[in-house]
Amino acid sequence: MSRPLNKLGARAVQTRPSGKHSDGGGLWLVKTDQKSGYWVLRFTIHGRRREMGLGSIAVVSLKAAREDATKWRAVAASGLDPIVERERLAREAARNLHLLKDLTDDCFEALKKSLKKEGKAGRWRSPLDLHVLPKLGKTPVSQIGQIDIRDALKGIWTTKPDPARKALNRISVVFKHAAALGLDVDLQAPAKARALLGAQGHKWEHIPAVPWPEVADFYASIGDGTVTHLALRLLILTGVRSAPLRFIRLDQIEGDVWTIPAQNMKGREGKTEDFRVPLSAEALRVIEQAKPLARDGWLFPSVRKGVISDATMSRLMERRGMKERPHGFRSSLRDWMAEATTTPHDIAETMLGHSVGGSVERAYRRTDFLAQRRAIMEQWASVVTGKTIAESSVADAA
């Protein structure tokens, strides 16, 4: 026989004296005095009688108490302990209250050691700090969807496409970090936001490069023996990026091999393999010319302190009215290998310090093709110095 429900009235809640008063169905009003009291739900689970507090009458109305009682009676009827289930839900809710700002901090700390320049001074997270966290930083990650991300970035999506793209990528990384922590987060939200934002209307352009047959003329024009000219000459001869070239140290050179520390190589963050660069006779001649200008172990020091800046070599080309930039000489080298030699793909990519193949393939292939690359570097030096631009073949070296 079912127990009668709703035996109390709203006025009774306020006027009943101290004591316990049943509303039916296991819901009880417990008055501590005529003005104060609280709600209790009594139920039996697995043969055990239990009481569950539902809140003070000052906060929880009679209607709300009855709704809670109905909900928890259904939980008990399903075989679950309402008290245990409520605690579980509370823990889950607390776990999902992590704010985007806090998750960004935690994610950045976890990534920082694997980042190269992006980790310095928080450059990795700056797109989030500038464009996302001011709007969404205090929002729990579990509550952030594609609409929120779209609204945060739509103001800069077409006007500042590069920061916007980076911000969206960083959000995706933070969301994956949150998911790894066990948080309830929509991993597809960044991709959905990208679809909602649409095209950026921005055409990405490759860095202009000097055509390889014209490199010799430019090389001949930078022969005044200054730090900038010598640095640019070595950059052209080795095909390396600007950063490792600018930070080259005398103790990194042994014989005709320059060993670049792994942390100075783009794309090798978190890895321990250094990168060996074979030096041609012309490259060694440039290094010998630069040694008298070296300071504090740096082969290409700046006028004041440290090494030459990233813009120093670019400014030289800019002042000459050239649209090409130093980084483009890597393309000049790559185009020469593709058009004028028979250099195998893997060796050509290794020449530029690119990773070749998947992780398993790289794990089994331990060679860095140093001997083959040494021969190619000598041929490239001949092209650069104008000794030959004739069609070459490195089939024997490969």
Side-chain angles (χ1 to χ4, degrees), residues 8 61 67 141 202 218 262 347:
L8 297 174
S61 67
E67 290 174 351
V141 289
H202 181 80
F218 178 79
I347 297 178

Side-chain angles (χ1 to χ4, degrees), residues 121-339:
R123 286 179 60 186
W124 181 89
R125 58 174 294 160
S126 62
L128 294 176
D129 290 333
L130 290 173
H131 306 296
V132 177
L133 295 184
K135 300 173 183 177
L136 296 176
K138 296 182 179 180
T139 305
V141 289
S142 60
Q143 297 177 18
I144 297 176
Q146 62 267 26
I147 302 297
D148 305 297
I149 299 172
R150 180 203 63 183
D151 292 346
L153 295 177
K154 65 182 180 181
I156 63 167
W157 188 246
T158 56
T159 58
K160 298 179 180 179
D162 190 44
R165 177 182 56 82
K166 288 183 177 180
L168 188 59
N169 290 341
R170 305 296 195 266
I171 292 173
S172 181
V173 173
V174 173
F175 272 34
K176 289 177 182 176
H177 182 77
L181 290 173
L183 305 183
D184 182 14
V185 60
D186 182 3
L187 289 175
Q188 299 302 315
K192 296 173 187 174
R194 185 185 294 274
L196 292 174
L197 286 163
Q200 289 186 306
H202 181 80
K203 183 178 179 181
W204 299 100
E205 297 181 356
H206 294 294
I207 297 174
V210 175
W212 69 264
E214 300 175 16
V215 171
D217 289 339
F218 178 79
Y219 186 86
S221 74
I222 51 172
D224 68 4
T226 61
V227 168
T228 302
H229 281 209
L230 291 170
L232 194 46
R233 279 193 161 194
L234 191 60
L235 181 85
I236 295 170
L237 289 164
T238 57
V240 300
R241 292 182 172 87
S242 172
L245 186 284
R246 292 186 301 111
F247 286 93
I248 183 174
R249 296 185 62 85
L250 291 170
D251 57 12
Q252 294 174 358
I253 302 168
E254 185 173 348
D256 66 347
V257 175
W258 167 25
T259 302
I260 303 175
Q263 64 268 22
N264 289 356
M265 290 292 293
K266 182 179 180 180
R268 297 195 172 212
E269 295 87 347
K271 298 182 181 180
T272 58
E273 301 90 351
D274 298 334
F275 182 65
R276 297 191 297 173
V277 179
L279 299 169
S280 63
E282 176 67 10
L284 290 171
R285 189 181 72 83
V286 171
I287 291 170
E288 286 302 315
Q289 285 183 287
K291 281 183 178 179
L293 305 175
R295 186 176 66 245
D296 299 329
W298 304 113
L299 188 61
F300 300 121
S302 68
V303 176
R304 296 179 181 177
K305 184 180 180 181
V307 301
I308 57 175
S309 73
D310 191 36
T312 301
M313 293 179 286
S314 293
R315 292 288 182 270
L316 182 149
M317 301 177 75
E318 186 179 322
R319 286 193 298 270
R320 294 187 177 191
M322 300 174 66
K323 66 180 184 299
E324 296 87 355
R325 291 296 178 263
H327 188 82
F329 287 109
R330 288 169 54 80
S331 295
S332 305
L333 170 58
R334 188 64 179 87
D335 288 346
W336 168 74
M337 286 188 285
E339 296 175 6

